[in-house]
Structure formats: structure tokens, C-alpha cells
Amino acid sequence: MYYTSQNRSELVAYNESVNNGEGYSGTTITWAKIIEHPNGADYAILKHPNYDAVLTLEESLSSDWFPNSID
């Protein structure tokens, strides 16, 4: 599952919340990478199973998020 937003800073804040809550350090320093949609206006991040947020939740990201991937 993914959280999506048109405000990248909301996803940065979610990522930081997970990072702080999990105490990541050493080899794991961040929960997930923020994915930018090719339209340049939408962003997504993988939802951590233990952390919720007031963001749009998507079951999966459609293929238009990854136009250059090989099917």
C-alpha cells in the first residue's frame, strides 16, 4: 500500500516520523524513497505497516507511475 499526495513535504514528514519511530541508524537510515509521478505534481511513498497518516491511501500504484518500466 502507498500513501499519495500532491504535497511532497507531507510524505517527507511521514517518512521522518517512521524513521524516528523505528530508530533507524547504521545501514538502514530511511524508511522508503519518495516516488515522483512523471506528471511532476503527484508523489507517493510506501506505507509502513505500523504507521498511519492522514493521507490518501492507495492499494497499489498504477502503471502510469512507471512509464519506463518493462512489463
Side-chain angles (χ1 to χ4, degrees):
M1 297 183 105
Y2 292 86
Y3 282 126
T4 61
S5 178
Q6 291 185 328
N7 185 341
R8 188 177 194 281
S9 63
E10 290 178 335
L11 299 180
V12 169
Y14 175 75
N15 200 28
E16 289 175 354
S17 174
V18 174
N19 294 342
N20 291 335
E22 293 297 305
Y24 291 142
S25 64
T27 57
T28 302
I29 58 171
T30 188
W31 160 242
K33 182 179 176 186
I34 294 172
I35 303 163
E36 183 177 355
H37 191 283
N39 69 13
D42 296 303
Y43 302 91
I45 192 168
L46 186 64
K47 182 193 179 301
H48 190 286
N50 299 329
Y51 296 85
D52 294 324
V54 182
L55 294 165
T56 303
L57 187 61
E58 302 287 343
E59 183 71 31
S60 63
L61 298 178
S62 59
S63 61
D64 65 325
W65 281 84
F66 310 100
N68 296 325
S69 64
I70 299 171
D71 292 332

